[in-house]
Amino acid sequence: MEAKIVIIPGLGGSGDDHWQSFWSRSFDNVVRIEQENWDEPELEKWLEKLNEAIEKLDSPVILVAHSLAVSLVLHWAVKYDKSKIKGALLVAPADVDSPEHTPDVVRGFAPIPIIKLAFPSIVVASLNDPYLSLNRAKYFAEQWGSEFINIGKKGHINSDSNLGFWEEGQLILQKLLKY
């Protein structure tokens, strides 16, 4: 059975030029999470939306989270049934624990759970991400039991990074689809 890819945008949602939006428009097997309020995130409401979407699916699931949504996935993994999850692509985690790196509006997602995930995962980070240091990204990957990939200087791996369809990310996603 083909896995469903669940696209989970972070703070502000992923605009039209974000690689998550390109992926959402390009694949048939994608479900995109839509939150009530992208600019004032509330952990419990975001968790409910994510869990509802996963529960509705009758196939294996690959989670594709960006930025604040990475913290959301970790909180979800602590609280809900993970049996449908085949893997997770965790891109550019926002360090919600660090006021130095992230805005106060995301502090409700802190602390980021430090658990070993019960499914395969890959953390993708950039050398010059303003919302997360590379060492912190490596630390998270290690704690979560995730593979770690440094893709060089790509900023926050978002619309500003001008990645378009982000072919490199597609190749990384293929690793999870093979599990």
Side-chain angles (χ1 to χ4, degrees):
M1 180 182 294
E2 184 181 30
K4 282 281 189 192
I5 297 169
V6 176
I7 302 277
I8 315 163
L11 183 66
S14 295
D16 288 342
D17 294 332
H18 195 288
W19 59 268
Q20 283 188 318
S21 297
F22 279 88
W23 291 12
S24 295
R25 292 188 297 261
S26 301
F27 303 116
D28 295 332
N29 61 331
V30 167
V31 171
R32 183 183 173 111
I33 302 298
E34 292 298 332
Q35 297 293 351
E36 234 174 77
N37 188 335
W38 287 114
D39 299 320
E40 294 175 19
E42 292 180 52
L43 179 58
E44 289 306 317
K45 287 183 178 181
W46 280 36
L47 281 168
E48 286 173 24
K49 287 274 191 182
L50 176 57
N51 196 58
E52 284 171 15
I54 291 169
E55 281 184 346
K56 286 179 187 173
L57 300 174
D58 59 359
S59 60
V61 172
I62 301 279
L63 302 171
V64 177
H66 178 260
S67 191
L68 181 60
V70 174
S71 183
L72 177 67
V73 166
L74 268 295
H75 284 285
W76 179 88
V78 167
K79 190 172 181 175
Y80 294 100
D81 174 24
K82 297 160 280 303
S83 60
K84 288 183 182 179
I85 309 303
K86 184 176 177 177
L89 182 59
L90 306 172
V91 180
D95 193 349
V96 298
D97 299 342
S98 171
E100 175 188 333
H101 289 99
T102 54
D104 288 342
V105 72
V106 301
R107 218 62 65 224
F109 285 65
I112 296 175
I114 300 298
I115 59 166
K116 181 159 181 1
L117 290 169
F119 43 82
S121 58
I122 300 171
V123 171
V124 179
S126 162
L127 284 169
N128 60 340
D129 188 337
Y131 300 105
L132 176 78
S133 72
L134 195 65
N135 285 339
R136 188 87 159 133
K138 287 179 186 174
Y139 168 78
F140 286 144
E142 185 179 290
Q143 297 303 307
W144 300 335
S146 306
E147 181 180 341
F148 177 77
I149 298 176
N150 170 359
I151 62 166
K153 290 186 175 181
K154 300 278 172 58
H156 192 47
I157 315 174
N158 60 3
S159 299
D160 293 341
S161 304
N162 294 316
L163 299 172
F165 188 72
W166 192 34
E167 289 82 0
E168 182 180 17
Q170 280 295 307
L171 293 173
I172 296 167
L173 178 65
Q174 291 305 313
K175 294 171 104 173
L176 288 170
L177 290 169
K178 289 178 184 169
Y179 285 114

